Amino acid sequence: MFDWKQDPHRRLNPLTGEWVLVSPHRTQRPWQGQVEEAARAAQPEYDPSCYLCPGNERAGGARNPRYTSTFVFDNDFAALRPDTPPDRFDQDGLLVAQGEPGICRVVCFSPRHDLTIAHMEPADLRRVVDTWAGQYRELGARESIRYVQIFENRGAMMGCSNAHPHCQIWSNSHLPNEVSKEQAAQLEWREARARCLICDYAALEATRRERLVEENASWMALVPFWAVWPFETMVMPRRHVAAIDGLDNAERDDLADILKRLTARYDRLFAAPFPYSMGFHQSPTDGEAHPEWHLHLHFHPPLLRSATVRKFLVGYELLAAPQRDLTPEAAAERLRSA
Ligand code: H2U
Ligand code: ZN
């Protein structure tokens, strides 16, 4: 048997069927590449030039109300539009395209320009959870919307255009690639074993504990065995629930709690605001029952060894498969002690 801490090995992601190469012996290699700028220091409570602050004019010309809680609006530069004709074009199976109707929204977490998830009051964060659930249900109820993707880009390194804490929702007619892979894997697991893939995985990690980072009564946050990003995590409810609108009262409070504690841990790791892209994966809204689906979130943070040295997914990753040096177990250990 190979040595987990020394020998190159590959690990399977059962949710996507893809492999990641792990090269633990390489963690000490020198870095002379690009160094990022450290994230800017403290933000003001209100920024008169922010497109998202209450009462301010947006880039598209609309003016935000003087909102006092969570605030949702239709994206002024939406990637998808509701009235797009859904026609399909297919030339010899080689040139295949399809019109894609959809709706894109922006959710400001709170009126405060400076309050990231880690610094919000639990009750205010709970309102964000309820907003996510409400948007999932409202958008998903539309005939043309079969998937609702809720995600947050945080930090300039992840392409976030505005410091005001917010997330986006893109909802559309077809399952996006990543969701489609996870759907197929969960369905296959259920058909083969009559159980849920993520329930089984959560139970196993709850026993092993080496990759656990945070937990509470209804949620677990861990570095998955097959993580690609150095400090990637997955956050999942202990109970089998297909989508965010199925969470009960306590589970919603607990989601707010674990997100706050996990993001605070990230910020402590390199003593700087930690950039990431995070988002939910959950049941499609196509009107079918999806007992195979188990709601979860993925955090994809780019930082590798400091607030200014990031991991790039290039070369081998783009052409062959993702690769990492730091083991997921070592990453979880570092997050636990942050
Ligand atoms: P990020 O989450 O990556 O920062 O993107 C912010 C989104 O907010 C982006 O999709 C939208 C952009 O189109 N936006 C507006 O809808 N109105 C504005 O006035 C500014 C930004
Ligand atoms: Zn703002």
Side-chain angles (χ1 to χ4, degrees), residues 45-47 50-54 56 67 111-113 162-165:
E45 283 186 27
Y46 166 76
D47 176 354
C50 168
Y51 294 129
L52 303 181
C53 271
N56 291 0
Y67 64 95
R112 286 277 297 271
H113 185 83
N162 188 306
H164 195 117

Side-chain angles (χ1 to χ4, degrees), residues 131-148:
T131 302
W132 287 334
Q135 289 292 319
Y136 171 81
R137 187 165 276 190
E138 182 198 318
L139 291 165
R142 301 197 184 209
E143 182 61 36
S144 63
I145 302 296
R146 301 196 190 88
Y147 193 72
V148 179

Side-chain angles (χ1 to χ4, degrees), residues 58 72-78 103-106 139 142:
R58 293 208 298 272
V72 185
F73 63 91
D74 283 333
N75 195 312
D76 299 307
F77 308 95
I103 297 174
C104 297
R105 289 183 174 161
V106 178
L139 291 165
R142 301 197 184 209

